[in-house]
Amino acid sequence: ETGVTQSPTHLIKTRGQQVTLRCSSQSGHNTVSWYQQALGQGPQFIFQYYREEENGRGNFPPRFSGLQFPNYSSELNVNALELDDSALYLCASSLLDRGVYGYTFGSGTRLTVV
Amino acid sequence: GQQLNQSPQSMFIQEGEDVSMNCTSSSIFNTWLWYKQDPGEGPVLLIALYKAGELTSNGRLTAQFGITRKDSFLNISASIPSDVGIYFCAGRKGTSGTYKYIFGTGTRLKVLA
């Protein structure tokens, strides 16, 4: 059973650019959630995808968008990057409603916006 | 965005000591969770609590779901160096199929050998 894999591990972008982060879900998991974790803070929920559709969203602007693919891998896209977007971005995969112990986090992508 | 309040923010303890930390919220949750995050890694679930008043143990860890459903506590007994890390509480909200997790601000634990 593979874990949750995120790529790239680190990334540096310039303010105003666009970025795409990727997440490969744990085998058999049909739900993926994305979180933003600023330095010294807890993770903040961005959104969740189930069967390729967004089914929950936190307080993030529309320039944060996502995709889930038929193989349940996922992308997080951020447009018009701002300095405050610098953070660790985590994805978590699960099998819908199968319980909290199946909610598995990846190691994250560290995004730095300069 | 909403975050739960955790205290203390950080603590230094001697190996072998017991540790206590807590988490409070202005809103009610039906599920409370405690995670540990090591540097360069994602959070890993330690304990889940599903009922007000519930007390659950996982090895040296014990957590309690507050009666008001607005708080939770985590205790670590006889700490060891590998307990170092950041501990997050999280409340789960939403309905079936739309759950989301609200995380606390974290308690950073350092253990002195």
Side-chain angles (χ1 to χ4, degrees), chain A residues 35 37 40-45 48 55 57-59 88 90 96-97 99-101 103 105-107, chain B residues 1 3 33 35 37 40-43 45-48 50 88 92 96-101 103-104:
Chain A
Y35 289 81
Q37 185 176 19
Q41 299 293 318
Q44 296 246 10
F45 176 76
Q48 175 174 287
N55 74 340
R57 190 175 183 95
N59 295 326
L88 180 69
L90 296 161
L96 192 71
D97 289 350
V100 297
Y101 282 98
Y103 197 80
F105 282 88
S107 297
Chain B
Q3 283 207 316
L33 308 158
Y35 285 86
Q37 186 174 26
E41 300 293 329
L45 182 62
L46 300 172
I47 290 182
Y50 300 100
F88 290 102
R92 189 176 72 166
S96 175
T98 64
Y99 289 125
K100 64 177 181 181
Y101 293 63
F103 280 81

Side-chain angles (χ1 to χ4, degrees), chain B residues 23-102:
Chain B
C23 181
T24 59
S25 168
S26 56
S27 42
I28 289 172
F29 290 101
N30 292 319
T31 302
W32 279 92
L33 308 158
W34 284 92
Y35 285 86
K36 180 174 182 265
Q37 186 174 26
D38 292 327
E41 300 293 329
V44 175
L45 182 62
L46 300 172
I47 290 182
L49 302 154
Y50 300 100
K51 219 170 16 174
E54 178 183 351
L55 189 70
T56 297
S57 293
N58 178 9
R60 294 178 297 106
L61 277 60
T62 301
Q64 183 160 26
F65 191 140
I67 291 291
T68 65
R69 291 160 62 194
K70 292 184 177 182
D71 57 7
S72 180
F73 305 87
L74 176 69
N75 295 311
I76 305 173
S77 62
S79 58
I80 58 178
S82 63
D83 290 334
V84 164
I86 305 176
Y87 291 79
F88 290 102
C89 62
R92 189 176 72 166
K93 64 191 303 183
T95 56
S96 175
T98 64
Y99 289 125
K100 64 177 181 181
Y101 293 63
I102 310 298

Side-chain angles (χ1 to χ4, degrees), chain A residues 57 60-65 76-82 84-85:
Chain A
R57 190 175 183 95
F60 282 81
R63 61 188 184 84
F64 286 78
S65 63
L76 165 66
N77 299 291
V78 187
N79 294 322
L81 283 166
E82 301 176 0
D84 284 350
D85 295 334

